[in-house]
Amino acid sequence: MTVCVLPFATHELGPATSFVPAVMSIIFILDIVTCFLLITRFHDIGDRRLLALSLAYVWSGFMILGYVAAFPGVISSHPPLGSWASTSPWLYLGWHVGFPVLLAVAWCPWPGHLCRPVPVNQRMRATVRACLLVGAAAVGTIVLVSFFGHSFLPVLIHGTSLVRMSEITGPPALALGVASAVIITRGTRSRVGPERWVAVTAWVCVADMILLFASLHRYSVGWYWGRGMTLVAVSLVFFAMMSEFTKLYRQLLTERASLVVTARTDPLTGLANRSVLNLETPIDRLI
C-alpha cells in the first residue's frame, strides 16, 4: 500500500558510508542535550511527566548508538559489532516503536495525585539521577542482548531488501506508532510550553516509518528521507526547549534592567535618588 502511495521512495541511490554515522551522531547528541534540558525543566517545575519524557530520550540515544554499531560497514564487518541482517533492523524498530510508546506513557492519562508537581529537593535529584542511570543500563542491556543473541532474532533484511521487514513488522509498528501519536496529541493539546511539540515529534516518527516501509531497499530515496525525518523528530523538542530558555533569559535580563532603573530613580519625579550618590553601594545591592 505504501509503495503505491509513495512510488518515489523505492528509487535506489546507492550507499553513502559516512551518512549514517554522521546523522546518527547528531541525533545522539541532540537526544542527550534534550534529556538534560528536560531534567533542568523538571527541577524548576516538578512535573513528573518531564522525567518520563527524559527517559524516552535516554532510550532514543542509546538505541541509536546500538543501531550505528550494528550498521553494515560503520564500525566493523565482523562480529561482535558487525552487520548482522537481524541486529540492525531490530534495533531500528526498537527505536521507532519504543520511543513513541515511551512518549505516550509520559502523556497518557495519569492518576490525579501523580499529575501534581513535586518539590525537587536533594533527595529527589538523587532519585532522578538513579532513574536515568537505570534507564541507560536497561537500554544498554537490550542492545548487548541484540548483539550477542543475534542468532535468535528473525532475519528481517536479505542484502538490502526491506520487503520482509515491511511485511512482518510494518502493520504492527505503524499501528503502535499511530496509537501513540493519538495519545500524545490528546495529552499535550492543553500544554503551552515546549512539550506541545512532542505530539509533532510522534507524528514525524509515524511518517518516518511509512517512508521506511515504502522504501523496499536500503539506500533508496525513502530510506534516506527516513533518516532525515528521524533527525527532525529528535530536533523539535530540543529547539523548542532552547527557544523557551532563550526567551526566559531575555525576560530575566529585561526585568533586571528594570529593577536597576527602579532602584536608582525616584518613582515620583524620575530623577536619580540618593543611592546613586552613594558610590560605595554595589549595584547588586541596589536590586
Side-chain angles (χ1 to χ4, degrees):
M1 179 180 179
T2 52
V3 177
C4 297
V5 177
L6 302 171
F8 72 92
T10 61
H11 181 69
E12 293 190 58
L13 297 178
T17 306
S18 60
F19 177 80
V20 170
V23 172
M24 296 305 167
S25 297
I26 296 173
I27 292 174
F28 174 75
I29 294 172
L30 289 175
D31 282 337
I32 298 304
V33 176
T34 303
C35 179
F36 172 77
L37 294 175
L38 289 168
I39 292 300
T40 302
R41 187 171 172 83
F42 168 76
H43 288 165
D44 291 336
I45 64 179
D47 189 345
R48 292 184 179 93
R49 293 182 185 274
L50 296 177
L51 178 58
L53 197 58
S54 66
L55 290 174
Y57 277 88
V58 169
W59 173 277
S60 173
F62 282 88
M63 274 292 175
I64 287 297
L65 282 183
Y67 173 74
V68 173
F71 197 84
V74 173
I75 293 181
S76 171
S77 58
H78 304 287
L81 297 178
S83 55
W84 294 308
S86 54
T87 306
S88 176
W90 279 110
L91 288 175
Y92 190 77
L93 286 172
W95 185 91
H96 270 78
V97 174
F99 184 59
V101 167
L102 289 174
L103 294 181
V105 170
W107 295 106
C108 66
W110 284 20
H113 68 281
L114 292 179
C115 295
R116 291 193 292 269
V118 294
V120 183
N121 49 27
Q122 192 64 31
R123 182 177 179 181
M124 177 59 71
R125 292 174 184 269
T127 303
V128 169
R129 289 193 293 268
C131 289
L132 293 177
L133 289 175
V134 170
V139 183
T141 301
I142 293 173
V143 172
L144 289 177
V145 168
S146 67
F147 279 140
F148 298 103
H150 63 94
S151 57
F152 299 100
L153 296 173
V155 177
L156 296 180
I157 292 182
H158 294 283
T160 62
S161 175
L162 301 176
V163 176
R164 181 174 171 82
M165 182 178 179
S166 302
E167 293 175 346
I168 295 177
T169 63
L174 282 174
L176 280 172
V178 171
S180 299
V182 170
I183 293 173
I184 296 164
T185 302
R186 291 174 61 88
T188 58
R189 60 186 176 184
S190 61
R191 308 291 292 197
V192 294
E195 296 85 7
R196 66 182 182 273
W197 287 97
V198 177
V200 183
T201 297
W203 287 110
V204 172
C205 291
V206 172
D208 186 359
M209 282 192 287
I210 292 174
L211 283 169
L212 174 68
F213 297 136
S215 299
L216 298 185
H217 294 279
R218 265 178 175 164
Y219 312 117
S220 63
V221 173
W223 185 85
Y224 279 104
W225 270 96
R227 305 297 75 73
M229 297 295 284
T230 302
L231 181 59
V232 171
V234 300
S235 302
L236 291 173
V237 175
F238 167 77
F239 285 112
M241 295 287 291
M242 290 301 297
S243 176
E244 174 146 312
F245 277 112
T246 302
K247 181 177 67 176
L248 291 175
Y249 179 71
R250 289 177 178 173
Q251 183 179 350
L252 178 63
L253 292 180
T254 302
E255 292 179 354
R256 179 183 173 86
S258 176
L259 288 174
V260 169
V261 173
T262 302
R264 300 180 64 178
T265 59
D266 181 77
L268 182 62
T269 63
L271 300 176
N273 57 23
R274 286 184 296 177
S275 62
V276 178
L277 301 177
N278 187 3
L279 300 180
E280 297 180 356
T281 304
I283 188 62
D284 290 336
R285 293 183 59 184
L286 297 179
I287 58 173

